[in-house]
mmCIF file of all heavy atoms in Angstrom:
data_model
loop_
_atom_site.group_PDB
_atom_site.id
_atom_site.type_symbol
_atom_site.label_atom_id
_atom_site.label_comp_id
_atom_site.label_asym_id
_atom_site.label_seq_id
_atom_site.Cartn_x
_atom_site.Cartn_y
_atom_site.Cartn_z
ATOM 1 N N ARG A 27 39.720 151.557 -45.983
ATOM 2 C CA ARG A 27 38.802 152.183 -45.020
ATOM 3 C C ARG A 27 39.265 153.603 -44.687
ATOM 4 O O ARG A 27 38.456 154.514 -44.583
ATOM 5 C CB ARG A 27 38.719 151.350 -43.747
ATOM 6 C CG ARG A 27 37.897 150.094 -43.892
ATOM 7 C CD ARG A 27 37.991 149.242 -42.662
ATOM 8 N NE ARG A 27 36.997 148.178 -42.656
ATOM 9 C CZ ARG A 27 37.122 147.074 -41.947
ATOM 10 N NH1 ARG A 27 38.196 146.875 -41.193
ATOM 11 N NH2 ARG A 27 36.195 146.149 -41.987
ATOM 12 N N ARG A 28 40.583 153.788 -44.527
ATOM 13 C CA ARG A 28 41.130 155.115 -44.238
ATOM 14 C C ARG A 28 40.831 156.066 -45.393
ATOM 15 O O ARG A 28 40.409 157.209 -45.179
ATOM 16 C CB ARG A 28 42.647 155.030 -44.008
ATOM 17 C CG ARG A 28 43.258 156.367 -43.575
ATOM 18 C CD ARG A 28 44.773 156.339 -43.643
ATOM 19 N NE ARG A 28 45.277 156.170 -44.997
ATOM 20 C CZ ARG A 28 45.274 157.118 -45.943
ATOM 21 N NH1 ARG A 28 44.770 158.302 -45.695
ATOM 22 N NH2 ARG A 28 45.764 156.887 -47.144
ATOM 23 N N ILE A 29 40.986 155.604 -46.616
ATOM 24 C CA ILE A 29 40.692 156.429 -47.799
ATOM 25 C C ILE A 29 39.222 156.827 -47.797
ATOM 26 O O ILE A 29 38.878 157.983 -48.039
ATOM 27 C CB ILE A 29 41.050 155.667 -49.091
ATOM 28 C CG1 ILE A 29 42.570 155.576 -49.241
ATOM 29 C CG2 ILE A 29 40.424 156.338 -50.314
ATOM 30 C CD1 ILE A 29 43.038 154.623 -50.327
ATOM 31 N N LEU A 30 38.351 155.871 -47.531
ATOM 32 C CA LEU A 30 36.917 156.167 -47.529
ATOM 33 C C LEU A 30 36.567 157.227 -46.492
ATOM 34 O O LEU A 30 35.753 158.116 -46.749
ATOM 35 C CB LEU A 30 36.112 154.887 -47.282
ATOM 36 C CG LEU A 30 36.137 153.871 -48.425
ATOM 37 C CD1 LEU A 30 35.600 152.533 -47.959
ATOM 38 C CD2 LEU A 30 35.340 154.397 -49.614
ATOM 39 N N ILE A 31 37.173 157.153 -45.335
ATOM 40 C CA ILE A 31 36.876 158.094 -44.256
ATOM 41 C C ILE A 31 37.518 159.452 -44.503
ATOM 42 O O ILE A 31 36.860 160.491 -44.393
ATOM 43 C CB ILE A 31 37.319 157.503 -42.900
ATOM 44 C CG1 ILE A 31 36.439 156.299 -42.552
ATOM 45 C CG2 ILE A 31 37.276 158.552 -41.799
ATOM 46 C CD1 ILE A 31 36.968 155.435 -41.424
ATOM 47 N N GLU A 32 38.800 159.457 -44.835
ATOM 48 C CA GLU A 32 39.526 160.725 -44.947
ATOM 49 C C GLU A 32 39.327 161.433 -46.290
ATOM 50 O O GLU A 32 39.210 162.658 -46.314
ATOM 51 C CB GLU A 32 41.021 160.480 -44.722
ATOM 52 C CG GLU A 32 41.334 160.071 -43.301
ATOM 53 C CD GLU A 32 42.800 159.768 -43.073
ATOM 54 O OE1 GLU A 32 43.631 160.017 -43.970
ATOM 55 O OE2 GLU A 32 43.118 159.264 -41.978
ATOM 56 N N ARG A 33 39.306 160.709 -47.378
ATOM 57 C CA ARG A 33 39.239 161.346 -48.689
ATOM 58 C C ARG A 33 37.814 161.483 -49.206
ATOM 59 O O ARG A 33 37.501 162.416 -49.925
ATOM 60 C CB ARG A 33 40.073 160.569 -49.715
ATOM 61 C CG ARG A 33 41.536 160.382 -49.373
ATOM 62 C CD ARG A 33 42.447 161.545 -49.685
ATOM 63 N NE ARG A 33 42.511 162.009 -51.023
ATOM 64 C CZ ARG A 33 43.446 161.718 -51.916
ATOM 65 N NH1 ARG A 33 44.418 160.900 -51.609
ATOM 66 N NH2 ARG A 33 43.420 162.252 -53.109
ATOM 67 N N LEU A 34 36.954 160.516 -48.859
ATOM 68 C CA LEU A 34 35.585 160.558 -49.358
ATOM 69 C C LEU A 34 34.584 160.936 -48.278
ATOM 70 O O LEU A 34 33.392 160.942 -48.494
ATOM 71 C CB LEU A 34 35.215 159.215 -49.992
ATOM 72 C CG LEU A 34 35.902 159.067 -51.345
ATOM 73 C CD1 LEU A 34 37.034 158.082 -51.259
ATOM 74 C CD2 LEU A 34 34.932 158.703 -52.399
ATOM 75 N N ARG A 35 35.111 161.224 -47.094
ATOM 76 C CA ARG A 35 34.316 161.716 -45.969
ATOM 77 C C ARG A 35 33.141 160.807 -45.583
ATOM 78 O O ARG A 35 32.040 161.279 -45.293
ATOM 79 C CB ARG A 35 33.829 163.128 -46.253
ATOM 80 C CG ARG A 35 34.990 164.115 -46.333
ATOM 81 C CD ARG A 35 34.524 165.491 -46.767
ATOM 82 N NE ARG A 35 35.605 166.433 -46.899
ATOM 83 C CZ ARG A 35 36.458 166.479 -47.917
ATOM 84 N NH1 ARG A 35 36.373 165.614 -48.872
ATOM 85 N NH2 ARG A 35 37.408 167.393 -47.976
ATOM 86 N N VAL A 36 33.389 159.500 -45.616
ATOM 87 C CA VAL A 36 32.396 158.552 -45.118
ATOM 88 C C VAL A 36 32.400 158.692 -43.600
ATOM 89 O O VAL A 36 33.430 158.540 -42.961
ATOM 90 C CB VAL A 36 32.744 157.105 -45.545
ATOM 91 C CG1 VAL A 36 31.842 156.102 -44.852
ATOM 92 C CG2 VAL A 36 32.644 156.969 -47.057
ATOM 93 N N GLU A 37 31.262 159.017 -43.054
ATOM 94 C CA GLU A 37 31.174 159.326 -41.632
ATOM 95 C C GLU A 37 30.909 158.076 -40.807
ATOM 96 O O GLU A 37 29.825 157.880 -40.255
ATOM 97 C CB GLU A 37 30.100 160.393 -41.402
ATOM 98 C CG GLU A 37 30.484 161.717 -42.023
ATOM 99 C CD GLU A 37 29.489 162.803 -41.750
ATOM 100 O OE1 GLU A 37 28.589 162.615 -40.912
ATOM 101 O OE2 GLU A 37 29.606 163.861 -42.392
ATOM 102 N N ARG A 38 31.938 157.237 -40.738
ATOM 103 C CA ARG A 38 31.891 156.016 -39.935
ATOM 104 C C ARG A 38 33.273 155.759 -39.381
ATOM 105 O O ARG A 38 34.267 156.242 -39.894
ATOM 106 C CB ARG A 38 31.465 154.822 -40.784
ATOM 107 C CG ARG A 38 30.073 154.951 -41.351
ATOM 108 C CD ARG A 38 29.637 153.703 -42.031
ATOM 109 N NE ARG A 38 28.380 153.958 -42.737
ATOM 110 C CZ ARG A 38 27.767 153.077 -43.462
ATOM 111 N NH1 ARG A 38 28.264 151.873 -43.610
ATOM 112 N NH2 ARG A 38 26.642 153.380 -44.066
ATOM 113 N N GLU A 39 33.325 154.974 -38.334
ATOM 114 C CA GLU A 39 34.597 154.512 -37.795
ATOM 115 C C GLU A 39 35.088 153.377 -38.696
ATOM 116 O O GLU A 39 34.273 152.684 -39.322
ATOM 117 C CB GLU A 39 34.420 154.021 -36.358
ATOM 118 C CG GLU A 39 34.078 155.109 -35.375
ATOM 119 C CD GLU A 39 35.159 156.168 -35.260
ATOM 120 O OE1 GLU A 39 36.348 155.808 -35.196
ATOM 121 O OE2 GLU A 39 34.805 157.365 -35.247
ATOM 122 N N PRO A 40 36.394 153.158 -38.762
ATOM 123 C CA PRO A 40 36.907 152.099 -39.646
ATOM 124 C C PRO A 40 36.249 150.736 -39.420
ATOM 125 O O PRO A 40 35.884 150.060 -40.383
ATOM 126 C CB PRO A 40 38.402 152.050 -39.323
ATOM 127 C CG PRO A 40 38.719 153.420 -38.833
ATOM 128 C CD PRO A 40 37.484 153.886 -38.103
ATOM 129 N N ASP A 41 36.081 150.340 -38.169
ATOM 130 C CA ASP A 41 35.488 149.028 -37.900
ATOM 131 C C ASP A 41 33.988 148.977 -38.178
ATOM 132 O O ASP A 41 33.384 147.904 -38.162
ATOM 133 C CB ASP A 41 35.795 148.565 -36.475
ATOM 134 C CG ASP A 41 35.238 149.495 -35.416
ATOM 135 O OD1 ASP A 41 34.943 150.655 -35.717
ATOM 136 O OD2 ASP A 41 35.110 149.040 -34.254
ATOM 137 N N GLU A 42 33.369 150.115 -38.458
ATOM 138 C CA GLU A 42 31.954 150.160 -38.815
ATOM 139 C C GLU A 42 31.747 149.973 -40.317
ATOM 140 O O GLU A 42 30.609 149.843 -40.762
ATOM 141 C CB GLU A 42 31.336 151.497 -38.396
ATOM 142 C CG GLU A 42 31.247 151.681 -36.898
ATOM 143 C CD GLU A 42 30.727 153.054 -36.512
ATOM 144 O OE1 GLU A 42 30.804 153.993 -37.340
ATOM 145 O OE2 GLU A 42 30.258 153.197 -35.389
ATOM 146 N N ILE A 43 32.828 149.980 -41.086
ATOM 147 C CA ILE A 43 32.710 149.792 -42.538
ATOM 148 C C ILE A 43 32.847 148.302 -42.826
ATOM 149 O O ILE A 43 33.942 147.740 -42.833
ATOM 150 C CB ILE A 43 33.765 150.610 -43.305
ATOM 151 C CG1 ILE A 43 33.566 152.098 -43.023
ATOM 152 C CG2 ILE A 43 33.679 150.311 -44.799
ATOM 153 C CD1 ILE A 43 34.611 153.003 -43.650
ATOM 154 N N ASP A 44 31.720 147.661 -43.043
ATOM 155 C CA ASP A 44 31.670 146.234 -43.345
ATOM 156 C C ASP A 44 32.326 145.996 -44.705
ATOM 157 O O ASP A 44 31.981 146.674 -45.678
ATOM 158 C CB ASP A 44 30.214 145.780 -43.377
ATOM 159 C CG ASP A 44 30.031 144.301 -43.614
ATOM 160 O OD1 ASP A 44 30.932 143.659 -44.191
ATOM 161 O OD2 ASP A 44 28.970 143.775 -43.236
ATOM 162 N N PRO A 45 33.244 145.049 -44.798
ATOM 163 C CA PRO A 45 33.902 144.793 -46.084
ATOM 164 C C PRO A 45 32.950 144.384 -47.201
ATOM 165 O O PRO A 45 33.274 144.518 -48.374
ATOM 166 C CB PRO A 45 34.882 143.660 -45.763
ATOM 167 C CG PRO A 45 35.117 143.749 -44.303
ATOM 168 C CD PRO A 45 33.824 144.260 -43.721
ATOM 169 N N ASP A 46 31.778 143.888 -46.858
ATOM 170 C CA ASP A 46 30.823 143.468 -47.880
ATOM 171 C C ASP A 46 29.780 144.529 -48.211
ATOM 172 O O ASP A 46 28.870 144.279 -48.993
ATOM 173 C CB ASP A 46 30.130 142.169 -47.443
ATOM 174 C CG ASP A 46 31.102 141.006 -47.419
ATOM 175 O OD1 ASP A 46 31.934 140.899 -48.340
ATOM 176 O OD2 ASP A 46 31.039 140.210 -46.460
ATOM 177 N N VAL A 47 29.920 145.721 -47.643
ATOM 178 C CA VAL A 47 28.960 146.786 -47.914
ATOM 179 C C VAL A 47 29.182 147.330 -49.339
ATOM 180 O O VAL A 47 30.321 147.502 -49.769
ATOM 181 C CB VAL A 47 29.061 147.921 -46.868
ATOM 182 C CG1 VAL A 47 30.341 148.710 -47.006
ATOM 183 C CG2 VAL A 47 27.869 148.849 -46.958
ATOM 184 N N PRO A 48 28.101 147.551 -50.072
ATOM 185 C CA PRO A 48 28.258 148.169 -51.392
ATOM 186 C C PRO A 48 28.841 149.579 -51.249
ATOM 187 O O PRO A 48 28.508 150.314 -50.314
ATOM 188 C CB PRO A 48 26.824 148.229 -51.936
ATOM 189 C CG PRO A 48 26.080 147.185 -51.170
ATOM 190 C CD PRO A 48 26.718 147.168 -49.807
ATOM 191 N N LEU A 49 29.709 149.945 -52.172
ATOM 192 C CA LEU A 49 30.307 151.274 -52.136
ATOM 193 C C LEU A 49 29.307 152.345 -52.567
ATOM 194 O O LEU A 49 29.327 153.459 -52.065
ATOM 195 C CB LEU A 49 31.536 151.326 -53.044
ATOM 196 C CG LEU A 49 32.724 150.490 -52.565
ATOM 197 C CD1 LEU A 49 33.769 150.380 -53.667
ATOM 198 C CD2 LEU A 49 33.320 151.103 -51.318
ATOM 199 N N PHE A 50 28.415 151.990 -53.486
ATOM 200 C CA PHE A 50 27.499 152.972 -54.070
ATOM 201 C C PHE A 50 26.063 152.658 -53.688
ATOM 202 O O PHE A 50 25.770 151.599 -53.144
ATOM 203 C CB PHE A 50 27.671 152.989 -55.593
ATOM 204 C CG PHE A 50 29.077 153.320 -55.998
ATOM 205 C CD1 PHE A 50 30.007 152.322 -56.232
ATOM 206 C CD2 PHE A 50 29.494 154.637 -56.089
ATOM 207 C CE1 PHE A 50 31.319 152.625 -56.561
ATOM 208 C CE2 PHE A 50 30.796 154.953 -56.421
ATOM 209 C CZ PHE A 50 31.715 153.935 -56.651
ATOM 210 N N GLY A 51 25.181 153.598 -53.951
ATOM 211 C CA GLY A 51 23.762 153.397 -53.688
ATOM 212 C C GLY A 51 23.453 153.306 -52.211
ATOM 213 O O GLY A 51 23.915 154.121 -51.417
ATOM 214 N N THR A 52 22.708 152.281 -51.839
ATOM 215 C CA THR A 52 22.241 152.165 -50.461
ATOM 216 C C THR A 52 23.325 151.719 -49.483
ATOM 217 O O THR A 52 23.100 151.732 -48.284
ATOM 218 C CB THR A 52 21.067 151.168 -50.364
ATOM 219 O OG1 THR A 52 21.523 149.890 -50.824
ATOM 220 C CG2 THR A 52 19.883 151.631 -51.176
ATOM 221 N N GLY A 53 24.490 151.356 -49.984
ATOM 222 C CA GLY A 53 25.589 150.962 -49.101
ATOM 223 C C GLY A 53 26.203 152.178 -48.443
ATOM 224 O O GLY A 53 25.601 152.804 -47.580
ATOM 225 N N LEU A 54 27.411 152.533 -48.885
ATOM 226 C CA LEU A 54 28.082 153.719 -48.332
ATOM 227 C C LEU A 54 27.576 155.006 -48.959
ATOM 228 O O LEU A 54 27.925 156.088 -48.513
ATOM 229 C CB LEU A 54 29.597 153.602 -48.517
ATOM 230 C CG LEU A 54 30.274 152.498 -47.709
ATOM 231 C CD1 LEU A 54 31.769 152.475 -48.000
ATOM 232 C CD2 LEU A 54 30.022 152.669 -46.227
ATOM 233 N N GLY A 55 26.775 154.894 -50.004
ATOM 234 C CA GLY A 55 26.161 156.074 -50.595
ATOM 235 C C GLY A 55 27.072 156.901 -51.482
ATOM 236 O O GLY A 55 26.794 158.074 -51.735
ATOM 237 N N LEU A 56 28.156 156.312 -51.974
ATOM 238 C CA LEU A 56 29.036 157.059 -52.870
ATOM 239 C C LEU A 56 28.331 157.304 -54.196
ATOM 240 O O LEU A 56 27.441 156.554 -54.593
ATOM 241 C CB LEU A 56 30.339 156.285 -53.101
ATOM 242 C CG LEU A 56 31.161 155.947 -51.858
ATOM 243 C CD1 LEU A 56 32.442 155.226 -52.266
ATOM 244 C CD2 LEU A 56 31.471 157.172 -51.029
ATOM 245 N N ASP A 57 28.739 158.367 -54.892
ATOM 246 C CA ASP A 57 28.158 158.693 -56.191
ATOM 247 C C ASP A 57 29.255 158.710 -57.253
ATOM 248 O O ASP A 57 30.404 158.344 -56.982
ATOM 249 C CB ASP A 57 27.392 160.016 -56.137
ATOM 250 C CG ASP A 57 28.275 161.199 -55.747
ATOM 251 O OD1 ASP A 57 29.504 161.148 -55.941
ATOM 252 O OD2 ASP A 57 27.718 162.192 -55.236
ATOM 253 N N SER A 58 28.926 159.157 -58.460
ATOM 254 C CA SER A 58 29.880 159.123 -59.572
ATOM 255 C C SER A 58 31.082 160.042 -59.341
ATOM 256 O O SER A 58 32.192 159.721 -59.754
ATOM 257 C CB SER A 58 29.184 159.466 -60.886
ATOM 258 O OG SER A 58 28.598 160.753 -60.805
ATOM 259 N N VAL A 59 30.878 161.162 -58.691
ATOM 260 C CA VAL A 59 32.003 162.055 -58.376
ATOM 261 C C VAL A 59 32.920 161.367 -57.367
ATOM 262 O O VAL A 59 34.154 161.418 -57.493
ATOM 263 C CB VAL A 59 31.497 163.409 -57.834
ATOM 264 C CG1 VAL A 59 32.649 164.273 -57.369
ATOM 265 C CG2 VAL A 59 30.669 164.126 -58.885
ATOM 266 N N ASP A 60 32.327 160.695 -56.386
ATOM 267 C CA ASP A 60 33.111 159.944 -55.413
ATOM 268 C C ASP A 60 33.900 158.826 -56.097
ATOM 269 O O ASP A 60 35.021 158.517 -55.684
ATOM 270 C CB ASP A 60 32.207 159.333 -54.340
ATOM 271 C CG ASP A 60 31.522 160.364 -53.472
ATOM 272 O OD1 ASP A 60 32.147 161.399 -53.170
ATOM 273 O OD2 ASP A 60 30.359 160.131 -53.093
ATOM 274 N N ALA A 61 33.321 158.226 -57.124
ATOM 275 C CA ALA A 61 34.003 157.141 -57.835
ATOM 276 C C ALA A 61 35.323 157.626 -58.426
ATOM 277 O O ALA A 61 36.333 156.934 -58.345
ATOM 278 C CB ALA A 61 33.104 156.575 -58.928
ATOM 279 N N VAL A 62 35.316 158.814 -58.993
ATOM 280 C CA VAL A 62 36.539 159.380 -59.561
ATOM 281 C C VAL A 62 37.576 159.592 -58.461
ATOM 282 O O VAL A 62 38.741 159.213 -58.607
ATOM 283 C CB VAL A 62 36.240 160.702 -60.310
ATOM 284 C CG1 VAL A 62 37.526 161.374 -60.763
ATOM 285 C CG2 VAL A 62 35.312 160.452 -61.485
ATOM 286 N N GLU A 63 37.171 160.176 -57.356
ATOM 287 C CA GLU A 63 38.082 160.401 -56.234
ATOM 288 C C GLU A 63 38.594 159.083 -55.665
ATOM 289 O O GLU A 63 39.772 158.960 -55.312
ATOM 290 C CB GLU A 63 37.399 161.209 -55.133
ATOM 291 C CG GLU A 63 38.265 161.474 -53.927
ATOM 292 C CD GLU A 63 39.482 162.343 -54.201
ATOM 293 O OE1 GLU A 63 39.423 163.196 -55.118
ATOM 294 O OE2 GLU A 63 40.504 162.171 -53.503
ATOM 295 N N LEU A 64 37.723 158.089 -55.596
ATOM 296 C CA LEU A 64 38.121 156.784 -55.089
ATOM 297 C C LEU A 64 39.188 156.152 -55.982
ATOM 298 O O LEU A 64 40.196 155.640 -55.506
ATOM 299 C CB LEU A 64 36.904 155.869 -54.955
ATOM 300 C CG LEU A 64 37.156 154.472 -54.403
ATOM 301 C CD1 LEU A 64 37.774 154.542 -53.009
ATOM 302 C CD2 LEU A 64 35.852 153.684 -54.382
ATOM 303 N N VAL A 65 38.979 156.204 -57.283
ATOM 304 C CA VAL A 65 39.958 155.638 -58.222
ATOM 305 C C VAL A 65 41.308 156.331 -58.070
ATOM 306 O O VAL A 65 42.344 155.678 -57.949
ATOM 307 C CB VAL A 65 39.447 155.730 -59.682
ATOM 308 C CG1 VAL A 65 40.569 155.453 -60.670
ATOM 309 C CG2 VAL A 65 38.290 154.777 -59.897
ATOM 310 N N ILE A 66 41.294 157.644 -58.055
ATOM 311 C CA ILE A 66 42.543 158.408 -57.916
ATOM 312 C C ILE A 66 43.233 158.065 -56.595
ATOM 313 O O ILE A 66 44.439 157.815 -56.561
ATOM 314 C CB ILE A 66 42.273 159.921 -58.027
ATOM 315 C CG1 ILE A 66 41.841 160.273 -59.444
ATOM 316 C CG2 ILE A 66 43.494 160.732 -57.607
ATOM 317 C CD1 ILE A 66 41.260 161.664 -59.592
ATOM 318 N N SER A 67 42.483 158.042 -55.522
ATOM 319 C CA SER A 67 43.048 157.767 -54.203
ATOM 320 C C SER A 67 43.618 156.359 -54.108
ATOM 321 O O SER A 67 44.700 156.150 -53.547
ATOM 322 C CB SER A 67 41.988 157.960 -53.118
ATOM 323 O OG SER A 67 41.555 159.293 -53.091
ATOM 324 N N VAL A 68 42.907 155.382 -54.646
ATOM 325 C CA VAL A 68 43.377 153.996 -54.610
ATOM 326 C C VAL A 68 44.624 153.840 -55.475
ATOM 327 O O VAL A 68 45.585 153.183 -55.074
ATOM 328 C CB VAL A 68 42.251 153.028 -55.039
ATOM 329 C CG1 VAL A 68 42.788 151.636 -55.318
ATOM 330 C CG2 VAL A 68 41.164 152.984 -53.967
ATOM 331 N N GLU A 69 44.624 154.451 -56.646
ATOM 332 C CA GLU A 69 45.802 154.371 -57.510
ATOM 333 C C GLU A 69 47.030 154.964 -56.822
ATOM 334 O O GLU A 69 48.120 154.394 -56.888
ATOM 335 C CB GLU A 69 45.546 155.070 -58.847
ATOM 336 C CG GLU A 69 44.617 154.303 -59.753
ATOM 337 C CD GLU A 69 44.358 154.984 -61.082
ATOM 338 O OE1 GLU A 69 44.571 156.218 -61.199
ATOM 339 O OE2 GLU A 69 43.943 154.282 -62.016
ATOM 340 N N GLU A 70 46.857 156.088 -56.154
ATOM 341 C CA GLU A 70 47.972 156.718 -55.441
ATOM 342 C C GLU A 70 48.434 155.886 -54.247
ATOM 343 O O GLU A 70 49.628 155.668 -54.057
ATOM 344 C CB GLU A 70 47.569 158.112 -54.937
ATOM 345 C CG GLU A 70 47.434 159.145 -56.006
ATOM 346 C CD GLU A 70 46.903 160.476 -55.477
ATOM 347 O OE1 GLU A 70 46.627 160.593 -54.256
ATOM 348 O OE2 GLU A 70 46.746 161.399 -56.282
ATOM 349 N N ALA A 71 47.499 155.418 -53.450
ATOM 350 C CA ALA A 71 47.834 154.706 -52.220
ATOM 351 C C ALA A 71 48.467 153.339 -52.475
ATOM 352 O O ALA A 71 49.379 152.931 -51.764
ATOM 353 C CB ALA A 71 46.587 154.539 -51.350
ATOM 354 N N PHE A 72 47.983 152.646 -53.497
ATOM 355 C CA PHE A 72 48.433 151.278 -53.733
ATOM 356 C C PHE A 72 49.367 151.133 -54.934
ATOM 357 O O PHE A 72 49.818 150.025 -55.233
ATOM 358 C CB PHE A 72 47.220 150.357 -53.908
ATOM 359 C CG PHE A 72 46.385 150.228 -52.664
ATOM 360 C CD1 PHE A 72 45.197 150.930 -52.542
ATOM 361 C CD2 PHE A 72 46.785 149.410 -51.619
ATOM 362 C CE1 PHE A 72 44.411 150.811 -51.398
ATOM 363 C CE2 PHE A 72 46.010 149.288 -50.477
ATOM 364 C CZ PHE A 72 44.830 149.990 -50.362
ATOM 365 N N GLN A 73 49.629 152.236 -55.622
ATOM 366 C CA GLN A 73 50.513 152.200 -56.790
ATOM 367 C C GLN A 73 50.040 151.174 -57.823
ATOM 368 O O GLN A 73 50.812 150.347 -58.312
ATOM 369 C CB GLN A 73 51.953 151.918 -56.368
ATOM 370 C CG GLN A 73 52.531 152.955 -55.423
ATOM 371 C CD GLN A 73 52.570 154.343 -56.053
ATOM 372 O OE1 GLN A 73 53.202 154.533 -57.076
ATOM 373 N NE2 GLN A 73 51.885 155.295 -55.469
#
């Protein structure tokens, strides 16, 4: 949730991000460029 807010600029509070929300499309609205950033951020954060 922190990665989504800080790195991908999802404009929600952490507790407002439902764990079952889709990351792309009508969910959080991420796109293909965001997908690349998400992969990089997750790989770095979680090793």
Side-chain angles (χ1 to χ4, degrees):
R27 285 173 168 158
R28 185 192 64 74
I29 288 169
L30 291 167
I31 292 166
E32 292 178 8
R33 303 278 302 261
L34 286 106
R35 294 174 182 77
V36 171
E37 294 183 11
R38 297 187 189 178
E39 293 298 316
D41 61 340
E42 292 176 339
I43 299 176
D44 183 336
D46 292 319
V47 70
L49 292 168
F50 302 93
T52 60
L54 293 179
L56 302 182
D57 60 24
S58 59
V59 174
D60 294 324
V62 174
E63 179 64 30
L64 181 59
V65 167
I66 292 167
S67 297
V68 167
E69 287 180 340
E70 288 174 0
F72 295 102
Q73 300 299 301

